[in-house]
Amino acid sequence: MLDLTGKNALVTGIANNRSIAWGIAQQLHKAGANLGITYLPDDKGKMEKKVAELVEPLQPSLFLPCNVESEEQIQSTFDTIRDKWGSLNILIHCLAFANKEDLSGDFSQTSRSGFNKALEISTYSLVQLSGAAKPLMTDGGSIVTLTYLGGARAVPNYNVMGVAKAGLEASVRYLAAELGPNNIRVNAISAGPIRTLASSAVGGILDMIHHVEQIAPLRRTVTQIEVGNTAAFLSSDLASGITGQVLYVDAGYEIMGM
């Protein structure tokens, strides 16, 4: 029943084979979506080569550099989508960053520049990309982003990223309200802790994972593929009545009091 054949999907945030975005891309491809992949460019081209080799089996029809700190690269990405595809049906936002020193220690000592950078990349980029996608989603569409429990509760060693995720979740609601009349749905997946390149910057991430495995009702954490399955569902017509929501994919950990 879950069929994305004929749907154009842009996936951001793949860094390596541990990325949650990679799990999502695989499941969108499995459901039949036509993929476009963005990568974070660097001076030596290492990320381009790494991501290109990883996603080759998915046969993306677009493979584009997109640093969301660059207005020009965002514009170029969506101009290419318009020129090559004509329309966009699915946008997957898997982008987050904070300076490592702003994730630990006293939250009140977060630097102004670090605070601004974390919110620009982790929060504002969803607003920016959604605005660019809106005119291309002429037949409606689905926008899915990734959040974490640290946006709703205080989590050790998360600090400024928790504020960024709280802002991201609020942005989901405001975007859903704006884009709903265009039949564009906006939702977030709050995944349990997973070992990724991004999460490696969070102090004690392995302890967090082991804690979830002990406390969560399913007595385990989740996988990238499980998050990918949820993203594919939210991107499909099966989720046509769901928007503005945060769906927890965390083996049930969020429901537990202790």
Side-chain angles (χ1 to χ4, degrees):
M1 292 178 63
L2 203 164
D3 185 6
L4 298 176
T5 303
K7 303 290 187 181
N8 295 323
L10 182 69
V11 180
T12 67
I14 297 176
N16 56 33
N17 62 356
R18 286 188 174 180
S19 299
I20 296 177
W22 169 234
I24 293 174
Q26 289 179 83
Q27 298 314 95
L28 293 180
H29 173 73
K30 185 177 179 180
N34 174 40
L35 293 183
I37 304 293
T38 70
Y39 63 90
L40 180 63
D42 60 88
D43 293 339
K44 296 184 178 180
K46 290 183 178 179
M47 187 61 72
E48 178 181 5
K49 183 175 185 295
K50 180 187 296 185
V51 177
E53 291 176 352
L54 178 64
V55 303
E56 184 179 4
L58 306 186
Q59 299 179 311
S61 60
L62 293 179
F63 186 71
L64 305 167
C66 188
N67 181 343
V68 293
E69 293 182 283
S70 167
E71 297 277 358
E72 292 77 13
Q73 286 192 20
I74 292 173
Q75 186 65 51
S76 177
T77 294
F78 286 89
D79 285 347
T80 301
I81 291 172
R82 184 191 63 239
D83 295 342
K84 300 293 186 181
W85 286 353
S87 64
L88 180 66
N89 306 105
I90 299 164
L91 171 63
I92 304 296
H93 175 272
C94 301
L95 302 169
F97 177 83
N99 294 324
K100 191 168 184 178
E101 60 267 25
D102 291 321
L103 294 175
S104 59
D106 292 339
F107 174 61
S108 64
Q109 298 306 303
T110 305
S111 66
R112 182 185 299 272
S113 61
F115 189 96
N116 290 340
K117 189 177 187 69
L119 269 75
E120 178 184 3
I121 296 175
S122 310
T123 307
Y124 180 64
S125 63
L126 174 66
V127 179
Q128 202 169 23
L129 295 185
S130 296
K134 180 179 178 179
L136 296 175
M137 291 185 162
T138 52
D139 295 321
S142 175
I143 299 171
V144 179
T145 188
L146 291 178
T147 185
Y148 175 61
L149 185 62
R153 303 182 192 176
V155 172
N157 301 313
Y158 209 57
N159 284 10
V160 71
M161 188 55 70
V163 176
K165 291 300 188 184
L168 185 74
E169 293 178 17
S171 298
V172 164
R173 293 186 284 273
Y174 279 97
L175 288 168
E178 174 195 340
L179 301 178
N182 298 83
N183 196 31
I184 299 171
R185 298 177 292 105
V186 188
N187 293 288
I189 298 171
S190 184
I194 298 174
R195 289 192 67 181
T196 65
L197 182 63
S199 71
S200 66
V202 178
I205 182 64
L206 292 181
D207 292 335
M208 292 167 64
I209 291 173
H210 295 326
H211 177 69
V212 169
E213 291 171 341
Q214 294 172 351
I215 301 299
L218 295 182
R219 295 298 190 269
R220 63 178 180 83
T221 189
V222 294
T223 67
Q224 288 89 337
I225 293 299
E226 287 178 311
V227 179
N229 285 336
T230 304
F233 162 70
L234 288 173
S235 300
S236 76
D237 291 339
L238 293 178
S240 60
I242 302 174
T243 193
Q245 303 302 308
V246 176
L247 274 68
Y248 284 87
V249 182
D250 64 352
Y253 179 78
E254 186 268 341
I255 71 168
M256 302 302 290
M258 294 182 66

